[in-house]
Amino acid sequence: MVAASSAVCSCITAACMSVAFENDSSVSMISTAPHSRLSRWASRKRKMVLAKCAPQFYGIREVMAVAMQPANEVVPNKKPSTKHRRVVVTGLGLETPLGNDPDVFYNNLLEGVSGVSEIEAFDCSQFPTKIAGEIKAFSTDGWVAPKLSKRMDKFMLYMLTAGKKALADGGITEDVMDEINKARCGVLIGSAMGGMKVFNDAIEALRISYRKMNPFCVPFATTNMGSAMLAMDLGWMGPNYSISTACATSNFCILNAANHIIRGEADMMLCGGSDAAIIPIGLGGFVACRALSQRNADPSKASRPWDSNRDGFVMGEGAGVLLLEELEHAKKRGATIYAEFLGGSFTCDAYHMTEPHPEGTGVILCIEKALAQSGIPREDVNYINAHATSTAAGDLKEYQALIHCFGHNPELRVNSTKSMVGHLLGAAGAVEAVATVKAIRTGWVHPNINLENPDDGVDTNVLVGPTKEKLDIKVALSNSFGFGGQNSSILFSPYK
């Protein structure tokens, strides 16, 4: 019996070696000649061993089949039900044209202050668009080491400072940091554009010599490096990556971060988005798309969602970061809970590179999937922070989709944060999520500014007017859409 077993082992070994060398594409890609010789040797060895031990092999196989036949039917154990893990928001951090503190930022929104102004970072006299939602005063003091601050692209600096501010806002002191399990804490902050300036500067340096290039130009241009650097700084060893889905980036990151907590893979996640594309190549690129407003003489009036006198969207820059946490984990450390994250969904229009589907099918499907996934009745949704960028096609198709899904709710109120900060690209969804959470906390929703001549077919009773409004929010929905037909919807509610 021992000899037979040995023969079986030899047969299996030879067969496995043959298959392995025949199928291992990584070996063949590295070295073709050795692969060929080893494969032929393994094949010959297999035939020799099988020829010598075939009778015994087949005999043993029959005996083994009988011996392993179970006396009773085995019923596989069902996977134990997983306890529902609720996700809450316990920290907020941002960098925006309207402030870098959540309270200041939201108070400015409530007052209808515009953060759109003339671009000061570079000479844009040769561009037809000279305005943007530009951050005028930004400092990394106390947040990022000076050496890194000089080398990093601004999208990373915005991300790092906003992320650390979210931690501070969430009460994550050094003492708390020492106590939490860092293997269960992750970072998922994305960017639509990545390190555009770092990469552009490298190209300019290359015109002289590669020796003039910033050695960090490649890593600091990649969209994931901001999350990676923040994790290195914090020592957080949980899920760490970025998602880039154009202007829907932040919502994709937020929902995926929440799912890591729900699945039990993390207890805390920093999530959101960051972009800093107000540089010549960024401005020029969107001008070439004929997408930007040219209302240079009156910047504060340039971003006009749902207004028939719009002439394009306004670029913005900044970052938004939410600290998401498993409910029991948050309660155990005595955290302040700002809101509960209920869920969300993604879809793709699969229609056009930059235009929404003419019937809004992708958006409608995304909203309906978000409601189904979170188990929320549509009549409970009474506040929507819309994507509404100030483009005719985008504004109207989203509005029609919202009316299709929620039009029977007389309490429904809809606004667009972009009317005051412009379009922050990959950071837009996270900054708007911060605004949504603040609306839940304060009971006030901010106005839609510049809505003077509403588009035909738009019911102004649904849209928030020119001043803030009091609203007892039951469930809030925040939309973000992006080039490529990317749709995302996420849901928040008061924590109860």
Side-chain angles (χ1 to χ4, degrees):
M1 188 68 179
V2 173
S5 299
S6 178
V8 172
C9 292
S10 299
C11 296
I12 294 172
T13 301
C16 290
M17 291 178 69
S18 176
V19 171
F21 280 110
E22 287 170 2
N23 295 331
D24 191 347
S25 58
S26 63
V27 173
S28 65
M29 285 188 290
I30 296 170
S31 176
T32 305
H35 165 231
S36 179
R37 291 195 298 271
L38 286 168
S39 181
R40 289 196 296 271
W41 172 84
S43 180
R44 289 197 302 270
K45 185 69 174 176
R46 179 183 59 181
K47 291 176 182 177
M48 290 170 59
V49 173
L50 287 176
K52 185 182 296 184
C53 66
Q56 298 94 323
F57 174 73
Y58 289 115
I60 293 297
R61 186 174 65 176
E62 288 181 355
V63 173
M64 290 174 66
V66 172
M68 295 181 67
Q69 183 68 31
N72 299 309
E73 183 181 358
V74 176
V75 179
N77 292 326
K78 292 183 178 180
K79 182 179 179 181
S81 59
T82 304
K83 182 182 178 182
H84 178 60
R85 288 167 59 87
R86 295 169 65 183
V87 180
V88 292
V89 182
T90 56
L92 304 170
L94 42 68
E95 300 289 347
T96 78
L98 283 182
N100 57 17
D101 174 87
D103 291 335
V104 172
F105 163 73
Y106 199 64
N107 285 336
N108 281 330
L109 287 179
L110 292 178
E111 295 304 314
V113 177
S114 175
V116 180
S117 59
E118 293 184 8
I119 295 172
E120 299 177 1
F122 59 94
D123 180 12
C124 54
S125 59
Q126 301 304 310
F127 293 93
T129 293
K130 302 173 177 61
I131 58 174
E134 184 181 50
I135 296 177
K136 303 298 186 186
F138 172 69
S139 173
T140 60
D141 291 349
W143 301 107
V144 182
K147 184 181 291 187
L148 287 175
S149 186
K150 291 177 182 178
R151 291 173 170 170
M152 284 182 176
D153 190 278
K154 265 192 175 179
F155 99 93
M156 291 178 65
L157 296 176
Y158 290 158
M159 186 185 296
L160 290 172
T161 55
K164 291 186 176 182
K165 287 175 181 178
L167 285 179
D169 183 60
I172 306 298
T173 62
E174 288 187 12
D175 290 341
V176 174
M177 190 72 84
D178 289 339
E179 293 177 1
I180 62 176
N181 182 355
K182 295 182 178 64
R184 297 185 56 79
C185 299
V187 185
L188 209 177
I189 310 174
S191 176
M193 312 299 287
M196 291 184 71
K197 188 175 188 304
V198 164
F199 203 74
N200 185 71
D201 290 349
I203 293 172
E204 293 301 317
L206 185 59
R207 295 182 191 279
I208 302 171
S209 169
Y210 72 88
R211 293 184 177 88
K212 297 291 184 180
M213 294 173 68
N214 178 353
F216 296 94
C217 67
V218 171
F220 283 178
T222 58
T223 60
N224 75 302
M225 197 54 65
S227 283
M229 294 297 289
L230 183 53
M232 291 177 206
D233 200 348
L234 302 175
W236 284 18
M237 299 173 66
N240 184 280
Y241 56 103
S242 70
I243 297 172
S244 185
T245 49
C247 302
T249 289
S250 286
N251 277 12
F252 274 69
C253 292
I254 292 169
L255 180 51
N256 277 280
N259 285 338
H260 283 299
I261 295 174
I262 292 168
R263 291 195 299 263
E265 298 162 356
D267 295 324
M268 302 176 71
M269 293 289 298
L270 284 170
C271 55
S274 178
D275 261 318
I278 304 177
I279 59 175
I281 191 172
L283 181 66
F286 281 109
V287 165
C289 289
R290 300 179 182 178
L292 298 182
S293 169
Q294 298 180 21
R295 201 181 293 261
N296 301 312
D298 197 359
S300 65
K301 298 284 187 181
S303 187
R304 314 175 67 83
W306 300 297
D307 189 85
S308 59
N309 290 331
R310 67 170 83 72
D311 68 332
F313 79 85
V314 177
M315 287 181 69
E317 64 177 353
V321 177
L322 280 68
L323 177 61
L324 297 185
E325 194 166 352
E326 194 272 325
L327 175 60
E328 297 305 319
H329 188 274
K331 288 165 63 177
K332 185 177 180 180
R333 69 177 187 85
T336 299
I337 297 174
Y338 294 143
E340 182 167 3
F341 181 83
L342 301 178
S345 185
F346 318 126
T347 62
C348 178
D349 280 350
Y351 169 74
H352 190 272
M353 189 163 52
T354 58
E355 295 294 319
H357 192 284
E359 296 176 5
T361 52
V363 174
I364 292 171
L365 178 62
C366 187
I367 293 171
E368 290 181 342
K369 286 178 64 179
L371 294 172
Q373 185 273 337
S374 56
I376 300 298
R378 66 186 64 225
E379 55 269 20
D380 284 0
V381 178
N382 63 340
Y383 170 58
I384 297 170
N385 190 300
H387 180 65
T389 62
S390 189
T391 61
D395 293 357
L396 286 172
K397 294 308 173 188
E398 181 182 14
Y399 172 81
Q400 291 163 3
L402 295 178
I403 294 302
H404 174 88
C405 294
F406 307 105
H408 296 296
N409 187 348
E411 297 180 2
L412 183 65
R413 309 303 289 148
V414 180
N415 62 11
S416 172
T417 303
K418 294 181 182 72
S419 66
M420 285 173 273
V421 298
H423 190 352
L424 275 60
L425 308 178
V431 169
E432 289 156 17
V434 171
T436 301
V437 171
K438 293 296 290 183
I440 289 171
R441 290 286 291 175
T442 63
W444 289 94
V445 294
H446 69 69
N448 289 302
I449 69 169
N450 303 325
L451 184 55
E452 298 166 350
N453 298 287
D455 288 308
D456 291 340
V458 171
D459 184 358
T460 53
N461 291 320
V462 172
L463 302 180
V464 182
T467 58
K468 64 183 180 181
E469 296 181 13
K470 192 73 176 172
L471 183 64
D472 181 16
I473 297 174
K474 297 176 183 175
V475 175
L477 179 141
S478 182
N479 283 334
S480 281
F481 314 131
F483 283 178
Q486 308 286 355
N487 304 309
S488 62
S489 300
I490 55 177
L491 294 155
F492 298 91
S493 73
Y495 165 65
K496 296 178 182 178

